[in-house]
C-alpha cells in the first residue's frame, strides 16, 4: 500500500514539477512482483497521478500560460528548445504530439502546459492516458520479465543494484543531452 501511494505521488509530481520519470519507481516495483497484475495496477495508479497533475497544469495554463511556462523553465532539464519543440509538434498534429512526445524525452508536463492553446481539456485527457500508459507499461513490463524470467535466479539485492545502475546510466545519458541546469 505504501508503494502504491509513492507511485501515485511520483506520477503526480512528475506531471507537475519533478524531473525523474515514474518509470523509475514502476520498474523497481515490477522487479519485486511475482504477479504481473500488480504491475498493471501500479501503472494505473501512476497514470491516475499523472492525469490529476496534468489536469492541474492544463487548467493553470488555460488561465495563465506565461506563468505556467515560466514555472516549467525553472524545472531541472527543461529548456526553451523543448518548449519550442512542443509548440511546433502540437501545431502540426496535437494528438500525435501528445501520444509520441513523452516517449522521446520531452517532459509530459510541457505538453500539458501547451495543450490549452491547441485543444480542449476533454481531448487532452483522452490522449493523456495512452500517452502516459504506453511508456510506463513498456518499461515496467521489461523489468518484470527480466526479473521473473531472464534473471529469476538472481537475488533481490543484485536485481536492485542492476536496476540502480541502469537508471543511473539512463540519466547520465539524458542529462548529458539535456543539461539539468
Amino acid at each position: 500500500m505504501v508503494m502504491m501511494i509513492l507511485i501515485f505521488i511520483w506520477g503526480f509530481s512528475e506531471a507537475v514539477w519533478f524531473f525523474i520519470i515514474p518509470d523509475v519507481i514502476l520498474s523497481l516495483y515490477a522487479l519485486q512482483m511475482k504477479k504481473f497484475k500488480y504491475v498493471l495496477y501500479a501503472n494505473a495508479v501512476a497514470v491516475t497521478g499523472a492525469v490529476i497533475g496534468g489536469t492541474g497544469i492544463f487548467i493553470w495554463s488555460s488561465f495563465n500560460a506565461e506563468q505556467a511556462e515560466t514555472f516549467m523553465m525553472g524545472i531541472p532539464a527543461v529548456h526553451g528548445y523543448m518548449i519550442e519543440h512542443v509548440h511546433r509538434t502540437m501545431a502540426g498534429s496535437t494528438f500525435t504530439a501528445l501520444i509520441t512526445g513523452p516517449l522521446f524525452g520531452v517532459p509530459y508536463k510541457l505538453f500539458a502546459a501547451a495543450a490549452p492553446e491547441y485543444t480542449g481539456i476533454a481531448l487532452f485527457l483522452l490522449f493523456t492516458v495512452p500517452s502516459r500508459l504506453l511508456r510506463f507499461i513498456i518499461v515496467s513490463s521489461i523489468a518484470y520479465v527480466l526479473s521473473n524470467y531472464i534473471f529469476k535466479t538472481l537475488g533481490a539485492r543484485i536485481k536492485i543494484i542492476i536496476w540502480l545502475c541502469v537508471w543511473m546510466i539512463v540519466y547520465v545519458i539524458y542529462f548529458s543531452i539535456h543539461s539539468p541546469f
Side-chain angles (χ1 to χ4, degrees), residues 49-168:
V51 166
I52 293 169
T55 300
I57 294 296
F58 183 99
I59 292 168
W60 179 20
S61 186
S62 296
F63 289 104
N64 195 335
E66 185 178 325
Q67 186 183 48
E69 188 174 301
T70 300
F71 175 79
M72 296 295 155
M73 288 299 296
I75 297 170
V78 170
H79 304 284
Y81 64 83
M82 290 177 167
I83 293 172
E84 291 169 14
H85 168 79
V86 167
H87 283 285
R88 190 172 52 258
T89 59
M90 289 191 69
S93 175
T94 301
F95 308 114
T96 302
L98 286 171
I99 294 292
T100 62
L103 292 174
F104 300 106
V106 180
Y108 161 76
K109 62 185 81 41
L110 301 182
F111 289 91
E117 189 176 325
Y118 303 97
T119 190
I121 194 162
L123 286 175
F124 169 73
L125 291 174
L126 179 67
F127 282 84
T128 288
V129 173
S131 73
R132 304 281 47 212
L133 199 54
L134 180 61
R135 194 189 69 224
F136 291 176
I137 285 182
I138 290 169
V139 171
S140 60
S141 294
I142 290 169
Y144 177 83
V145 167
L146 288 173
S147 180
N148 287 284
Y149 297 101
I150 309 298
F151 299 117
K152 66 182 176 184
T153 59
L154 293 180
R157 283 188 181 155
I158 298 297
K159 290 177 186 179
I160 290 172
I161 290 169
I162 293 169
W163 165 85
L164 182 61
C165 290
V166 166
W167 281 112
M168 286 174 56

Side-chain angles (χ1 to χ4, degrees), residues 19 74-79 174-176 178-181:
F19 55 93
I75 297 170
V78 170
H79 304 284
Y174 185 81
F175 289 143
S176 71
H178 308 287
S179 168
F181 307 107

Side-chain angles (χ1 to χ4, degrees), residues 28-36 38-39 144 147-148:
L28 175 62
Y29 184 76
L31 288 178
Q32 301 168 352
M33 291 299 102
K34 296 295 179 205
K35 293 187 178 181
F36 188 67
Y38 297 119
V39 175
Y144 177 83
S147 180
N148 287 284

